[in-house]
Amino acid sequence: MPPVVLALRRLPSPRLTGLGAGLFASAVMLTLGFLDRLLLDGSPVVYGLLFLPVSALTALWVRTADLVTAPIGVPIAFAVGVVPIAGGSGGLGGQAMAVVTALAVHAGWLYGGTLVAGVIASVRKVREMGRRQHARASAPAAGEAPGAGAAAGTGGRAGSPRRRPVA
């Protein structure tokens, strides 16, 4: 196997609920926003670059049942984390205008991270559907002897009810 694949397999693989994934992404982006403001005076490029791996991790770590929440939660996390770097003055109204302006100006990063999360979630969902279909095809149906075909109890007619074997 390639070394990149081996390195990725060694990473932790938590399974977060949809809410947990959204809270994870929001907390990380808020922390990164504060660190960006403190260390780099609120550099939007650094913030945007850091948003992309957070989006990917969120989509990788969310449970399979909650995959649809990953592309929904990461834009919210971007908006939460942009508050410290948005600037703004003049109270709550000035801060709100600064956040809206920052979201509009940095929409490319926002769309990029959402796209990353959406693609990863979609690939995971398609792979899971393939696994389920393969498991159904390879597992013997309930009530059949192992190795019996799918049409063994139906007499070969499609759509007819299955007959249970007489003991």
Side-chain angles (χ1 to χ4, degrees):
M1 282 191 176
V4 174
V5 174
L6 293 174
L8 287 174
R9 287 191 175 181
R10 284 189 297 245
L11 287 175
S13 184
R15 290 294 170 225
L16 302 171
T17 63
L19 179 62
L23 289 174
F24 161 76
S26 296
V28 170
M29 291 312 299
L30 187 62
T31 302
L32 290 175
F34 278 120
L35 287 174
D36 186 16
R37 182 175 179 185
L38 179 68
L39 300 175
L40 303 170
D41 201 30
S43 170
V45 174
V46 172
Y47 180 78
L49 284 172
L50 292 172
F51 176 62
L52 298 177
V54 170
S55 298
L57 286 176
T58 302
L60 286 171
W61 287 351
V62 71
R63 293 185 318 174
T64 306
D66 296 330
L67 279 172
V68 72
T69 62
I72 295 168
V74 292
I76 296 169
F78 186 89
V80 167
V82 84
V83 171
I85 66 166
S89 60
L92 185 61
Q95 184 69 29
M97 287 301 295
V99 168
V100 170
T101 303
L103 289 173
V105 171
H106 307 299
W109 293 113
L110 178 61
Y111 293 148
T114 305
L115 180 66
V116 166
V119 167
I120 291 173
S122 297
V123 168
R124 283 187 58 204
K125 185 64 173 179
V126 167
R127 288 183 70 200
E128 179 63 26
M129 288 169 42
R131 278 190 209 117
R132 283 186 186 172
Q133 186 176 11
H134 180 68
R136 279 191 206 127
S138 64
E144 285 187 7
T154 63
R157 294 176 298 183
S160 63
R162 290 199 157 165
R163 296 183 192 147
R164 294 189 175 206
V166 178

